[in-house]
Amino acid sequence: MQLLKLVAEQIRIGARLPFNVRDAEGGLLLACGQIVISAAQLAALLARGMYADVAELRALQAGGQVPAEPPPLATRWAQAVWAVDAMLKTLPDGLQFMASCDETTSEVIALAVQDGDMALYQTVRQEGLQLRLYGLTHALYVATLSLMVARRLGWAESRQRKVVKAALTMNASIIELQGVYAMTGGRLTQSQREQLRLHPDEACKRLRAAGVDDEEWLQAVAQHHEQVSGRGYPRGLRDVGEMARLLRLVDVFLAKISSRVNRPALEIKQAAREVYEQNPGNPLAASLIKEFGMYPPGELLRLANGDLAVVIRRGATLQCPLVMALADKRGQLKAQLIRYDTAQREFAVVAVESDKSLMARIPSERLYGLYGMHGLDSLNPTH
């Protein structure tokens, strides 16, 4: 495949792509027919590097059409961030917002249901996270993990959809401020701090103005920073709804495992331990910890044979995930990724690797790509 690097003028924001957009290795970033939603999305894609297949461009010039490739899950996850952005920007327009919210919610649910392991991988690795977009990515990951916990708890499908909508909209008034907060390490003005304190009420106000009348959705948004101890905000309530309690739990947990300018991400085991200690006997906390397991997808491990490997699937037991070996014991990247089952003694987990910098060099499409839940069996066999 011969690739041509694209420039901004070759992409029309809001129009369907007439060709497939690829990365420098030919991997699919956006499929033909998909839409670049905003200037911010285009800038992010250009920074990463956008390419087109020369053969496809020639076919277009000759009057032909480019067949659309089904976008891999990694591409759909990347696109979901911008769908959240577009949805929140429609909030003043009730009809447009409600339709966009339904569509975005359906996509989040479809992604999580189609491949729960990859969904967890996204929340753990937060791939390609740009701190200025933290508000958008955080909303997406809170919605995803809240859904997965709600499913584990056996909530009705209607409530599952509702908690996704609440998670996507609970910070509607501070999306940009969250990016500022992440980039500055928490150094905010008094006015910005007041905006943060009042954002649950402001988000509710915007949702009501857009026509949202579901009281459980609105209550979850209004109370997602309240605590049964009475130490929450903005009202210091003690009687806090179940959905709001779930949102706060997931919100806090994911904030702990997210990096900031002034601090690294907390280790997942430590974050889980803190959640457990702060919420003893809480079924919501117990379900969250069970969903992640001991070694969730996205965790980087050292194996008994010395290899560094990333978890890609939760295994039959908590202690034995399926992993993809990325580097040897000297830290040299492997020419070909190899899948191992850590239930086998020679590939048993020895330790969690604290230095995650290697992961920045391995995009998720190399680990999951076009493969579905069982497609990885066709890759390198377990040795």
Side-chain angles (χ1 to χ4, degrees):
M1 181 185 297
Q2 184 181 355
L3 297 173
L4 177 69
K5 190 167 187 178
L6 300 171
V7 295
E9 289 72 19
Q10 292 170 282
I11 305 295
R12 290 176 55 199
I13 296 172
R16 296 193 178 278
L17 290 166
F19 47 77
N20 296 299
V21 174
R22 305 177 183 277
D23 61 21
E25 285 74 43
L28 190 66
L29 292 177
L30 288 174
C32 174
Q34 288 190 281
I35 296 172
V36 175
I37 298 171
S38 65
Q41 182 187 10
L42 178 57
L45 288 166
L46 288 168
R48 176 170 180 169
M50 300 174 64
Y51 298 80
D53 185 349
V54 171
E56 291 183 357
L57 297 178
R58 287 173 178 166
L60 283 173
Q61 290 175 348
Q65 290 186 333
V66 174
E69 296 182 21
L73 287 181
T75 298
R76 288 172 61 190
W77 274 108
Q79 192 74 349
V81 174
W82 301 106
V84 174
D85 183 35
M87 176 200 72
L88 292 174
K89 286 176 178 174
T90 66
L91 196 50
D93 184 332
L95 289 177
Q96 191 176 358
F97 166 74
M98 296 297 272
S100 180
C101 188
D102 275 328
E103 183 178 352
T104 305
T105 296
S106 294
E107 177 67 352
V108 171
I109 293 173
L111 287 169
V113 170
Q114 184 169 341
D115 194 332
D117 287 311
M118 188 172 183
L120 286 180
Y121 180 95
Q122 297 294 321
T123 65
V124 170
R125 287 274 60 89
Q126 303 189 12
E127 193 166 85
L129 175 63
Q130 299 179 45
L131 289 178
R132 67 185 180 84
L133 301 179
Y134 176 81
L136 296 174
T137 55
H138 187 67
L140 175 61
Y141 299 142
V142 171
T144 302
L145 188 52
S146 296
L147 168 70
M148 297 178 77
V149 175
R151 284 167 58 84
R152 178 175 286 274
L153 289 166
W155 287 13
E157 288 188 8
S158 59
R159 288 194 81 207
Q160 292 175 27
R161 286 189 65 86
K162 201 177 299 183
V163 77
V164 171
K165 290 181 177 181
L168 292 174
T169 57
M170 65 185 187
N171 296 323
S173 65
I174 57 164
I175 291 296
E176 292 184 6
L177 182 57
Q178 284 181 296
V180 172
Y181 187 87
M183 289 188 294
T184 62
R187 295 186 297 276
L188 299 177
T189 66
Q190 183 59 39
S191 174
Q192 289 171 326
R193 292 186 182 280
E194 184 68 4
Q195 187 181 349
L196 276 178
R197 190 181 73 83
L198 297 176
H199 81 267
D201 287 344
E202 179 60 26
C204 270
K205 179 180 177 181
R206 295 187 185 191
L207 290 170
R208 287 190 186 278
V212 175
D213 58 5
D214 187 303
E215 289 304 320
E216 188 175 30
W217 175 357
L218 292 167
Q219 181 195 64
V221 170
Q223 297 181 356
H224 75 274
H225 282 298
E226 302 287 359
Q227 302 181 47
V228 294
S229 64
R231 294 195 297 267
Y233 65 91
R235 291 183 169 79
L237 301 177
R238 290 180 179 273
D239 184 12
V240 184
E242 181 185 38
M243 191 173 291
R245 285 185 280 120
L246 175 57
L247 289 180
R248 181 182 180 277
L249 185 72
V250 174
D251 184 20
V252 170
F253 179 79
L254 290 181
K256 288 177 183 292
I257 66 171
S258 303
S259 60
R260 297 286 194 281
V261 165
N262 62 339
R263 66 158 176 82
L266 194 65
E267 290 291 339
I268 293 171
K269 277 189 177 181
Q270 178 62 30
R273 185 179 301 114
E274 291 182 5
V275 165
Y276 179 80
E277 291 173 350
Q278 293 164 8
N279 301 272
N282 186 328
L284 298 176
S287 294
L288 170 62
I289 293 169
K290 287 178 182 177
E291 192 65 37
F292 263 76
M294 185 175 293
Y295 304 117
E299 187 68 282
L300 190 63
L301 306 175
R302 178 74 66 178
L303 306 183
N305 69 344
D307 281 358
L308 281 172
V310 62
V311 178
I312 54 172
R313 304 281 178 206
R314 291 162 292 181
T317 67
L318 292 177
Q319 298 84 4
C320 300
L322 299 178
V323 301
M324 196 75 83
L326 308 178
D328 61 24
K329 59 186 177 183
R330 297 182 303 277
Q332 296 295 314
L333 286 178
K334 291 180 177 290
Q336 191 173 24
L337 303 183
I338 304 174
R339 191 181 70 139
Y340 293 137
D341 184 348
T342 60
Q344 297 187 27
R345 182 178 301 176
E346 61 185 306
F347 307 119
V349 177
V350 173
V352 174
E353 191 72 14
S354 58
D355 182 1
K356 315 291 187 186
S357 57
L358 175 66
M359 292 304 303
R361 301 160 64 185
I362 311 291
S364 62
E365 51 262 37
R366 284 200 65 194
L367 303 174
Y368 293 92
L370 293 169
Y371 302 97
M373 277 296 289
H374 306 292
L376 284 164
D377 294 334
S378 64
L379 293 179
N380 300 298
T382 302
H383 288 208

